[in-house]
Amino acid sequence: MSTATVLQAYRFALDPSAVQARDLERHAGAARFAFNWALAQVKANIGQRTAERSYGLDGDELTPSLGWNLPALRRAWNAGKSEVAPWWSECSKEAFNTGLDGVARSLKNWADSKSGKRAGRTVGFPRFKARRRTTPSVRFTTGVIRVETDRKHVTLPRVGTIKTHESTRKLARRLETGTARILSATVRRATGRGYC
């Protein structure tokens, strides 16, 4: 008997209320804010260390480098979030984690491409996300993420139960039989509609 795990995505169009749509936009904005904040911190740290090297400093004399992985960025965010985003408690921690994870992955791709570990086209250094040019998106990995038994609603952390435009029957059946489980939910706005 095979114990292989298959990852499969399901996509459902959403019909959120006006309040829920605002909440989802707020969460996507928080993810973009965290991405831009973390990228600014990394760029400032790199710039500071480069300037110090040009003055002849080296080794322990340099400003400590900022870690680029997700745990290091999360620690830096938690240390400074009250000052840079006093409104942080209005959103799920998953929104900020989405942005920080995006920076960590982007920096890893850039570093791997630069060192030759990554095949394919050269990846450039990450750029800041502009509000009007970025697809609003937020990913939930913890908390209450479920498909409701009526097969017409999904529940997400801090946002609540959202009506779906289509039936969630296929996923609901697999969840009921125990042949599937939800690992994460990504809400993204595309073509004027939100999708989960």
Side-chain angles (χ1 to χ4, degrees):
M1 177 185 252
S2 175
T3 59
T5 301
V6 176
L7 294 178
Q8 183 173 354
Y10 290 86
R11 182 177 172 188
F12 304 109
L14 299 175
D15 283 334
S17 68
V19 172
Q20 289 171 333
R22 251 191 332 271
D23 280 349
L24 291 171
E25 288 291 329
R26 181 183 302 125
H27 278 73
R32 188 183 67 250
F33 180 88
F35 181 97
N36 289 340
W37 176 87
L39 185 56
Q41 297 301 307
V42 169
K43 285 182 88 167
N45 186 259
I46 291 171
Q48 179 68 31
R49 290 173 61 86
T50 302
E52 289 172 354
R53 281 192 184 97
S54 71
Y55 302 147
L57 299 177
D58 196 25
D60 292 339
E61 298 173 325
L62 293 173
T63 300
S65 63
L66 179 65
W68 292 359
N69 59 11
L70 181 58
L73 292 172
R74 199 180 289 148
R75 279 191 300 274
W77 169 257
N78 286 333
K81 66 185 175 186
S82 297
E83 293 176 20
V84 296
W87 44 266
W88 68 269
S89 61
E90 296 175 16
C91 296
S92 169
K93 66 180 177 63
E94 293 294 317
F96 304 107
N97 193 59
T98 299
L100 299 175
D101 184 49
V103 170
R105 287 173 189 253
S106 298
L107 289 169
K108 183 181 184 316
N109 290 340
W110 170 72
D112 288 351
S113 177
K114 192 174 175 184
S115 67
K117 287 184 192 174
R118 182 183 165 104
R121 288 178 36 204
T122 304
V123 176
F125 192 81
R127 295 186 304 188
F128 293 106
K129 292 189 175 191
R131 185 173 145 205
R132 288 186 167 57
R133 286 181 292 155
T134 303
T135 302
S137 174
V138 63
R139 183 172 185 231
F140 299 96
T141 57
T142 60
V144 179
I145 305 168
R146 68 174 174 254
V147 174
E148 297 298 335
T149 55
D150 68 358
R151 300 178 180 183
K152 295 198 182 287
H153 293 85
V154 294
T155 300
L156 300 172
R158 297 294 298 264
V159 181
T161 303
I162 305 171
K163 185 176 184 326
T164 57
H165 188 70
E166 55 205 333
S167 174
T168 60
R169 176 178 42 87
K170 287 183 181 178
L171 178 56
R173 280 185 183 165
R174 297 208 45 215
L175 291 169
E176 288 167 5
T177 60
T179 58
R181 64 189 177 105
I182 298 173
L183 299 176
S184 68
T186 302
V187 178
R188 179 172 310 206
R189 188 153 190 80
T191 62
R193 178 180 283 281
Y195 293 91
C196 180

